[in-house]
Amino acid sequence: MSREVVLTIQPGESADDFISRIADTAPEPSPSVLDRIRTLLAVDGPAIPQQTAPSRAVRAAA
């Protein structure tokens, strides 16, 4: 069964307040929905290495 809901921002309501109001009233997602979201947000490929300090070559060139 499909149900249509119209969400309306109230006059004077900020976008952040609107998002918070909608998120606060949303039902808890089912485990299958959470699994689907995790699948959609999965990152493929190797992890990007994080460099904490410039290499010696970069420092020497500067």
Side-chain angles (χ1 to χ4, degrees):
M1 180 186 334
S2 175
R3 204 170 44 154
E4 186 175 316
V5 176
V6 177
L7 304 174
T8 306
I9 192 165
Q10 303 300 318
E13 184 176 39
S14 71
D16 288 337
D17 289 341
F18 172 73
I19 292 168
S20 294
R21 178 170 55 88
I22 300 307
D24 291 344
T25 60
E28 288 294 318
S30 68
S32 63
V33 169
L34 292 175
D35 288 342
R36 181 70 178 143
I37 291 171
R38 285 186 195 100
T39 301
L40 292 171
L41 296 177
V43 177
D44 294 334
I48 299 172
Q50 293 184 353
Q51 202 171 357
T52 56
S55 67
R56 289 179 192 222
V58 171
R59 286 191 302 245

